[in-house]
Amino acid sequence: MSGRRSGNGIRGPQSALTDFLAANNIDANQIRNDFVRRAREAQLDGNAGEGSSTAQIDQAAEDAVIAAAAEIAQAEEDEEEEIKSAKKRKRKEKAAIDRIKKAKKSKKGKKRDPDDDDDDDDDFTLDSYKKSKPAPGQFENCELCDKRFTVTPYSKEGPDGGLLCAPCGKSFKKDLKKEQKAIAKKPAGRQRRKVESNKLDGIAVGGAKSLSQLCIERAVQHHEDLEELGDIPEALLGRLSQIFSKKRVMNAKTLPLFLRPELTSVIVHDAAYLNEEDYTQIFAVVPNMRNLCLSNACRFKDETMAYMLERCKELRHLTLYAANLVSDSLWLRLFTEAGGKLETIKLKWLDAAFDDASVEGMVINCPNLRRLKLKHCGRIGESAITAISRLQALEHVSLQIQGAVSSGVLTDLVKKRGASLSTLSLEGFVDGDDDLLQAIHDECHNLSKLRFNGNDLASDAAYTALFTEWSNPPLAFADFSSNRDVDNNNPAGPDEPIGLASNGFRALMEHSGSNLRHLDIASCRHIELGAFLDVFESKHYPLLEYINLSFCNRIDTTVVACIFKSCPNLKQLVAFGCFDVRDVVVPSNIALIGVPRAQDAIEQFGVGIEVEEALLRMRAEMET
Amino acid sequence: MATEASDLSDYVTLVSSDEFSFVVQRTAACLSPAIKRMLDPTNGFLEAKMNTCRFDNITGVVLEQVCEYFYYNQKHQNSKDVPDMDFPTELCLEILIAADYLGRNMNVPIGNLYTQNERPRINFVTRPINDNAIAFSSVYDMLCF
């Protein structure tokens, strides 16, 4: 304090006492000056009446005071008044010091053991090398803005150890927090994984994220502070709902954000945290919904279903995943009461209820059903498929059934419904055989999406026949993954190839290449290198965006290069387990995923290189 | 009014509902398909003639962030692992709505539309620029749906 006042700015070590006194606005210089002034006054009065000074030998007056006092110690008792006033002053000072000491002690005592008094003193000496701080109630100049302000116990410390006024302190604290946040970054591993995950999700396909993506992410981050979403378009609401589900923050508190009376759809992809009251709220607030989607609806009960039937009379599209607390009788009631209007039913992960009889009830009561998906429903079997084949209006059907289903039942379904189907997805039907593929060839003339995977019975010849001179327009979506022979003793498969092999693949691309967007032939390991080269070399697939070639182990770098060249619209190429693919230079806007080089990221990702340049570089690398 | 020079100008003006103007590079602003369409002279909208886009549903503070994003995006166009852009959290939802408005993909086939005054049939793709050009924003919703 004194240093600042004198303005020299130089400060060396000072005694604890000086520091303490300075902290309490007691200044040794000032005391000495006062003393000298008084001495002079006394001498002027003609009396050496500085007896008071003897009493004044206290902590504050240092050597100078002692010397001065020694000189004039003889004379005393004349100036009674002076002594009195000096004593008064001294008493006052002492009282003030005691008060402060006490206050300090009691403050410290709160934090630690009141017994260890010496500790206080230790702190005292340590602190003595620091800048002293004014006590609450005193004035200080703000370190940043230089304004004079009253010190309070809450005054913040500035960057150089001084104190800050209230507004500066606030902003400084804010900045400090921000800095700390920036410093405390997530561990590198997690950050890298996050980047990879974003790319695999297709969120960051080179360059910056989209503005709406940034906003949505920020909204989820601050989901607890959100009060309402306002008049957000329904499409955006769906997007937000997706992200809320992904981050697992869709709960009783956030759910109301997505409920507005005028909405026509309620989409909750993760309803695991919702309980009965939340469901009731959904149906109470949005009675006019036409589209309801609840995934992980593990607490969706019979009563909930009953209330839904009572409230929502306009329901057209129903997606319920994992609603295992709904009993068979309520499923039946759903179909009898709401079936007439239902156009879409998607059910997954049901194993406690929903059996063949329920499917039968659905078929009888839902004549307008156009879209049906049944997956992982443990209690349904062949007779359910037989029943489904009687649904007259069916256009999209996706089936996955745990138990054994004979090929005949499936063939029958295709024969009856095939003509009107535009989506046919048969997942993991191991017993599907050549007859089934033949039926698809004969009956289906409208398909745009065809999935037939996880099969090791149908032969390559059947696939070839399916796609040869097929009256169906080119497919947009083709998934024939895991159609291959499984025999550990003969990994190359029999001479007459089983599953989608070279000829079948050629026929598929010949038939659908012009319109194909999504191609999945993972694990079709009997497709030879020659077939890949035939298909991708000097051909053109203008719409193809996604290709999965994982574990097609005949593929090499040339094929990948040809794919880059022949598919101008390609976004993702998945190639796990293709060990002959090496040193690929990936063009911009394409993500190559899974090419094995352990030290690299899982995904290789093009930055600012056009296809031509990438190919040139690859060729150069190969030659060297 | 619409000279060749103005059509080719490097900068365009975006005006917010509360009359804040932002002059941004054409290349950056055309990141938004909506703005690109507005400013495309072949579409003959008022915006293309004036080289100015007015947004009656976007306020100045939000439009400022949007413009910032245009440049942020341009800067990071060819880079990897881009850091997220920072923006005030309280504007999050407003920016989201604006981003949706400006970014909605509008590859919808364009039908014939009517102006408010004379209601003649106008084909927006082939219609030549004239003084009766109407503002893109006035027909935006019709174009989108």
Side-chain angles (χ1 to χ4, degrees), chain B residues 53-73:
Chain B
C53 301
R54 298 191 68 92
F55 299 104
D56 293 335
N57 46 3
I58 302 178
T59 59
V61 276
V62 175
L63 194 58
E64 184 188 350
Q65 296 297 326
V66 172
C67 295
E68 202 174 302
Y69 177 79
F70 286 153
Y71 286 118
Y72 160 83
N73 187 290

Side-chain angles (χ1 to χ4, degrees), chain A residues 145-412:
Chain A
C145 66
D146 239 21
K147 252 185 215 154
R148 205 156 171 75
F149 69 101
T150 314
V151 177
T152 70
Y154 308 107
S155 295
K156 296 274 172 326
E157 206 172 278
D160 296 330
L163 288 174
L164 301 176
C165 67
C168 287
K170 251 184 209 164
S171 64
F172 181 70
K173 198 180 160 196
K174 226 188 228 169
D175 291 348
L176 206 70
K177 258 191 188 165
K178 232 185 223 172
E179 258 169 52
Q180 275 170 349
K181 230 184 188 177
I183 291 166
K185 270 189 179 158
K186 288 174 195 161
R190 198 194 302 167
Q191 223 171 10
R192 202 193 59 229
R193 283 197 294 277
K194 183 77 210 144
V195 170
E196 295 296 324
S197 147
N198 276 346
K199 284 177 190 162
L200 291 170
D201 285 350
I203 292 173
V205 186
K209 283 183 196 170
S210 79
L211 185 55
S212 42
Q213 183 66 31
L214 286 172
C215 292
I216 286 171
E217 279 173 13
R218 183 70 71 88
V220 180
Q221 224 178 346
H222 296 271
H223 63 96
E224 284 188 342
D225 306 325
L226 276 174
E227 272 162 20
E228 59 171 333
L229 294 172
D231 283 333
I232 271 189
E234 218 166 314
L236 273 184
L237 208 60
R239 185 91 190 86
L240 272 168
S241 161
Q242 283 178 346
I243 305 281
F244 269 66
S245 295
K246 190 187 171 202
K247 300 276 178 197
R248 304 220 73 184
V249 292
M250 189 64 102
N251 50 33
K253 199 164 164 289
T254 49
L255 177 69
L257 297 173
F258 298 92
L259 304 179
R260 289 206 307 258
E262 75 275 13
L263 290 181
T264 57
S265 62
V266 174
I267 297 167
V268 181
H269 292 292
D270 176 23
Y273 295 127
L274 305 187
N275 55 32
E276 210 179 332
E277 283 134 51
D278 300 321
Y279 289 122
T280 312
Q281 191 189 8
I282 294 178
F283 303 127
V285 177
V286 201
N288 297 322
M289 66 172 94
R290 300 165 75 87
N291 180 11
L292 174 67
C293 169
L294 298 170
S295 309
N296 289 351
C298 47
R299 287 189 244 178
F300 195 98
K301 296 179 186 166
D302 275 358
E303 296 82 47
T304 324
M305 179 76 92
Y307 186 67
M308 181 185 87
L309 292 173
E310 191 182 305
R311 289 283 301 178
C312 307
K313 300 286 186 196
E314 294 300 314
L315 210 57
R316 299 282 192 286
H317 311 282
L318 178 66
T319 306
L320 262 180
Y321 293 164
N324 271 311
L325 294 181
V326 180
S327 64
D328 276 329
S329 61
L330 257 290
W331 284 119
L332 210 58
R333 219 182 113 191
L334 164 73
F335 300 131
T336 47
E337 288 184 23
K341 286 182 175 170
L342 281 177
E343 293 171 18
T344 304
I345 294 179
K346 296 183 182 178
L347 303 173
K348 265 202 225 176
W349 302 112
L350 298 175
D351 44 21
F354 198 75
D355 51 14
D356 287 343
S358 309
V359 177
E360 188 68 39
M362 175 181 79
V363 170
I364 294 169
N365 292 297
C366 307
N368 300 317
L369 207 58
R370 290 167 47 216
R371 194 180 280 266
L372 176 67
K373 179 191 269 193
L374 297 176
K375 278 188 187 178
H376 310 286
C377 296
R379 290 169 166 253
I380 60 174
E382 275 188 1
S383 56
I385 296 182
T386 314
I388 289 166
S389 65
R390 298 202 309 271
L391 278 168
Q392 299 290 334
L394 210 56
E395 289 171 18
H396 308 271
V397 60
S398 301
L399 297 172
Q400 191 275 353
I401 283 175
Q402 261 121 322
V405 177
S406 71
S407 184
V409 176
L410 292 169
T411 312
D412 188 50

Side-chain angles (χ1 to χ4, degrees), chain B residues 82-101:
Chain B
V82 180
D84 287 356
M85 188 180 95
D86 193 40
F87 56 87
T89 305
E90 60 272 20
L91 291 179
C92 177
L93 293 175
E94 286 175 73
I95 299 175
L96 179 58
I97 293 175
D100 181 57
Y101 175 85

Side-chain angles (χ1 to χ4, degrees), chain A residues 57-78:
Chain A
I57 304 171
D58 65 353
Q59 308 97 311
E62 292 175 10
D63 318 7
V65 184
I66 296 167
E71 269 177 33
I72 40 176
Q74 318 97 310
E76 50 214 356
E77 71 233 346
D78 287 303

Side-chain angles (χ1 to χ4, degrees), chain A residues 508-524:
Chain A
L508 164 66
M509 295 308 281
E510 183 66 35
H511 173 263
S512 298
S514 60
N515 195 35
L516 209 56
R517 287 176 174 78
H518 182 111
L519 173 67
D520 191 343
I521 49 166
S523 294
C524 293

